[in-house]
Amino acid sequence: MSDIDIEKQEKTAFSIHSTQSNIILSDEVVGPIGKWQAIKDSFKRVDLGELDSNLTEAERVAIATARAPLKRHLKSRHIQMIAIGGAIGTGLFVGSGSSLRTAGPAGVLIGYGISSTFILCMICALGEMAVEFPVSGGFTTYATRFVDDSFGFAANFNYALQWLVILPLEIVSASITVNYWGTPKKYRDGFVALFWLVIVTINMFGVKGYGEAEFWFSTVKVVCILGFIICGISLVCGARGSYIGGTYWHHPYGAFVGDNAGARFKGVMSVFTSAAFAFGGSEMVGLAAAETSNPRKSLPKAAKQVFWRITIFYMVSLTLVGLLVSHKDPRLIGSSSADAAASPFVIALVSHGIKGLPSVFNVVICIAVLSVGNSSVYACSRTLAAFSEQGYAPKWMNLEYVDRSGRPLVGIIITSTFGLLGFVAASDKEGEVFNWLYALFGLSSLFTWAGICFCHIRFRRALSAQGRSTDELSFVSPVGVKGSYYGIFIITCVLIAEFWVAAWPNGYKQMSGSETVQNFFETYLSFPVFVFSYFGRRIYKKNWQLFIPSIDVDIDTGRREIDIENLKAEIAEEKAELAAKPFYKRAYAFWCE
């Protein structure tokens, strides 16, 4: 089925196509125009018309997000690299240094290993819903449809704020990274302006430009990680003359940080904040579903394979970092420090006499910053548009403005403007601002991932309550609802442990009262923000219903595949074909396709 047919089935009220310098609006040829006029016209708003005033609020939200005029230009290769690229950035390249310093090499692997398990559950749950409902806002919209209005508001606000903060955070990180080459501080503004301009320009080319840029950014990062893994294995095995092995795991260094079990446990728990920052972006496949040409084919493969690739990249590379760099190395400093350019990957190469590659790696870190900054503008602008489509923003803000090229223009402008905070890089308060931006982001990814798992549970419950089954789903999460319950359980445990670490950090007895309070909010600030937005919405709307009744949940509006019976027949045929294949092919299909 072509994209045009799909759009007609979903009753998209407006379509625009460019053919031989003619503009076709709703199938009517207006006439030949110049290229400059075509560019100007592309910024005009798509008029979808008013919705029926007799619709309920839930129906209005479902239809508004389903008919958003976003362009479906993302292909399977874009989707996979978007997810990989969003999760391989400064969190891995730089933030892992903080984790190694506070938890030790074994603590880092435990923290990231546990995080990867609930990432699997989350991304499979997200894939199941995104294949069925590739709507504007993705999982932030599911929170409104499957849970309730207040939860949807909190989820949307939290996710938009998360990416809004990341853009200046990444730009500041990039300006710090160039310190490696001895760049004078007076040139920081120039680098900030350059990074900001590149990121904004890419997003002005629409979703196709974003997807293509992200594909190549991510390719560079993946090649770099693979190169480091090969180099790291060689160094550990003695390529530079002496066998290293597990030296840094033993006396006098140790596999953990701390003199007792409590201190070591706190060290491991502190890893989860940087792990959340590092894995943040792996959920981007769900947000991009609305702009994917064929979500039924591309999203399941992306959801499964992205998890395995990210896990392998992280676990193998961090294992090698722990073998090559001591957690007591004085060059390792906190990821929320003004000297955050001290990447443990770079330290590993420098410490073992590898020349040239450290500079190459810092260039890749700059590319990673561009990649994550690119994703932040994309994600925040789409979330803001969905935020408005769901009735959460004042009409005068026009956040749902989508132009004829499928760009949520107002959202892009707001996100880009907020990115100008990156110019604080030239200020003496740079480190302090960096700390608080990082605190705002902090644990917000954990709330997002727990929310996705909860939406999946509510979606399955609605299916059951309405007498329907997973037989009608194009893709079923291989870990099922149990995986979503597991994800919520682990994330809740992490949040509780993080509260303990934030309130009573290692060495808190030597800290003043103000330092303890500051440490708590720098670690846990995103939690009160989420709680305030949730209960603030409840009080404002005077709505005390905890959940939408399962029987009333809308599980049809926005589906790309609208002929359920025909879909069931196709799924049954595909299952029969798979059942006839050898075991190893069935296993591969279950976990990777």
Side-chain angles (χ1 to χ4, degrees):
M1 184 181 294
S2 68
D3 285 350
I4 296 175
D5 291 334
I6 293 171
E7 289 182 5
K8 287 181 178 179
Q9 284 191 356
E10 290 184 346
K11 300 180 180 179
T12 301
F14 181 97
S15 64
I16 177 170
H17 310 284
S18 177
T19 307
Q20 296 178 347
S21 299
N22 291 324
I23 298 297
I24 305 175
L25 303 179
S26 299
D27 297 325
E28 178 183 352
V29 178
V30 176
I33 61 174
K35 290 184 178 180
W36 175 242
Q37 185 62 42
I39 292 173
K40 290 196 295 183
D41 287 345
S42 72
F43 288 92
K44 292 182 179 179
R45 183 173 186 165
V46 174
D47 184 10
L48 295 174
E50 295 295 326
L51 291 172
D52 190 341
S53 58
N54 295 320
L55 294 172
T56 65
E57 185 173 356
E59 290 172 335
R60 183 193 62 77
V61 169
I63 294 174
T65 53
R67 71 171 189 167
L70 301 172
K71 299 297 182 182
R72 296 170 187 158
H73 290 157
L74 294 178
K75 301 176 182 178
S76 179
R77 65 184 179 90
H78 294 141
I79 288 295
Q80 294 202 35
M81 283 303 187
I82 283 171
I84 293 174
I88 298 180
T90 51
L92 173 62
F93 293 137
V94 179
S96 56
S98 171
S99 299
L100 181 60
R101 181 178 60 87
T102 58
V108 168
L109 293 181
I110 292 172
Y112 276 85
I114 293 174
S115 297
S116 67
T117 61
F118 61 72
I119 290 292
L120 170 63
C121 299
M122 177 278 298
I123 205 166
C124 287
L126 176 59
E128 179 177 304
M129 294 184 292
V131 170
E132 296 304 315
F133 305 97
V135 298
S136 173
F139 44 85
T140 61
T141 304
Y142 306 150
T144 303
R145 291 181 60 172
F146 301 149
V147 185
D148 90 310
D149 175 80
S150 298
F151 189 79
F153 176 84
N156 276 265
F157 182 80
N158 174 73
Y159 198 66
L161 182 63
Q162 169 185 329
W163 285 107
L164 197 64
V165 166
I166 285 178
L167 180 58
L169 189 67
E170 291 294 325
I171 292 176
V172 170
S173 296
S175 69
I176 293 172
T177 300
V178 298
N179 286 347
Y180 181 81
W181 297 286
T183 306
K185 193 169 184 178
K186 63 181 180 180
Y187 296 128
R188 289 268 186 94
D189 281 346
F191 281 100
V192 168
L194 176 63
F195 286 119
W196 182 87
L197 186 62
V198 170
I199 290 169
V200 173
T201 301
I202 289 172
N203 277 273
M204 292 310 294
F205 280 98
V207 66
K208 193 171 184 179
Y210 159 74
E212 202 62 40
E214 196 59 29
F215 175 82
W216 291 109
F217 285 155
S218 299
T219 299
V220 171
K221 290 187 288 186
V222 168
V223 170
C224 179
I225 289 290
L226 292 175
F228 176 82
I229 289 173
I230 295 170
C231 180
I233 292 173
S234 300
L235 291 174
V236 169
C237 294
R240 296 294 293 180
S242 60
Y243 175 74
I244 299 172
T247 302
Y248 293 126
W249 284 57
H250 302 293
H251 183 77
Y253 306 103
F256 295 92
V257 174
D259 299 327
N260 54 65
R264 292 171 182 172
F265 180 75
K266 282 184 178 180
V268 174
M269 289 300 102
S270 69
V271 173
F272 287 106
T273 301
S274 59
F277 181 68
F279 281 118
S282 55
E283 74 287 339
M284 286 285 289
V285 289
L287 189 66
E291 296 171 270
T292 303
S293 58
N294 192 346
R296 186 186 167 198
K297 297 297 182 183
S298 58
L299 287 182
K301 184 180 295 186
K304 294 177 184 179
Q305 292 188 2
V306 162
F307 163 76
W308 292 113
R309 291 172 185 175
I310 289 176
T311 300
I312 291 171
F313 290 151
Y314 270 76
M315 299 308 291
V316 174
S317 61
L318 289 176
T319 298
L320 291 170
V321 164
L323 292 172
L324 294 170
V325 180
S326 165
H327 65 78
K328 295 183 179 181
D329 193 307
R331 291 169 293 180
L332 284 176
I333 42 72
S335 62
S336 57
S337 165
D339 296 319
S343 165
F345 290 81
V346 175
I347 293 173
L349 296 173
V350 171
S351 298
H352 297 279
I354 304 298
K355 297 180 179 180
L357 285 183
S359 289
V360 173
F361 215 98
N362 270 282
V363 171
V364 174
I365 291 175
C366 289
I367 292 175
V369 167
L370 286 176
S371 174
V372 179
N374 188 32
S375 295
S376 69
V377 175
Y378 174 84
C380 189
S381 60
R382 270 66 180 175
T383 305
L384 288 175
F387 190 76
S388 183
E389 288 162 355
Q390 295 173 75
Y392 294 140
K395 283 292 182 184
W396 59 266
M397 294 186 71
N398 276 327
L399 292 180
E400 74 279 11
Y401 187 111
V402 178
D403 67 20
R404 295 178 178 182
S405 292
R407 296 170 297 210
L409 208 55
V410 175
I412 291 175
I413 292 171
I414 290 175
T415 310
S416 302
T417 302
F418 198 82
L420 294 175
L421 279 177
F423 282 102
V424 76
S427 167
D428 293 335
K429 299 289 186 180
E430 173 196 49
E432 187 175 336
V433 173
F434 194 103
N435 286 345
W436 288 109
L437 286 176
Y438 188 80
L440 272 173
F441 172 78
L443 303 174
S444 58
S445 286
L446 292 173
F447 303 134
T448 296
W449 299 333
I452 290 171
C453 291
F454 188 48
C455 288
H456 182 234
I457 292 169
R458 292 288 303 160
F459 169 60
R460 285 290 192 91
R461 185 163 295 180
L463 269 179
S464 177
Q466 296 177 31
R468 295 158 73 170
S469 70
T470 57
D471 291 341
E472 66 181 61
L473 302 182
S474 301
F475 168 62
V476 178
S477 168
V479 293
V481 178
K482 291 181 180 178
S484 294
Y485 277 113
Y486 169 80
I488 292 176
F489 173 74
I490 296 297
I491 292 173
T492 301
C493 291
V494 169
L495 289 173
I496 293 172
E498 282 296 315
F499 181 86
W500 178 46
V501 172
W504 297 279
N506 283 332
Y508 75 94
K509 292 181 180 179
Q510 287 76 44
M511 299 169 66
S512 65
S514 60
E515 288 175 332
T516 304
V517 172
Q518 180 175 337
N519 178 80
F520 175 81
F521 281 106
E522 284 184 357
T523 305
Y524 225 72
L525 180 61
S526 48
F527 179 77
V529 169
F530 184 87
V531 171
F532 179 80
S533 59
Y534 176 77
F535 286 103
R537 179 69 179 181
R538 284 215 175 278
I539 294 170
Y540 174 75
K541 295 290 287 186
K542 296 182 174 61
N543 175 18
W544 307 109
Q545 184 183 51
L546 195 57
F547 305 124
I548 299 173
S550 299
I551 195 69
D552 297 329
V553 171
D554 184 355
I555 54 176
D556 289 310
T557 303
R559 281 194 168 191
R560 191 73 63 92
E561 304 284 352
I562 58 175
D563 189 340
I564 301 298
E565 294 305 318
N566 183 55
L567 177 62
K568 285 183 177 181
E570 288 183 15
I571 294 172
E573 183 179 345
E574 291 171 0
K575 287 182 177 179
E577 290 179 1
L578 181 61
K581 293 182 178 180
F583 171 76
Y584 70 92
K585 288 189 176 181
R586 296 199 304 272
Y588 180 81
F590 182 81
W591 289 109
C592 301
E593 288 188 347

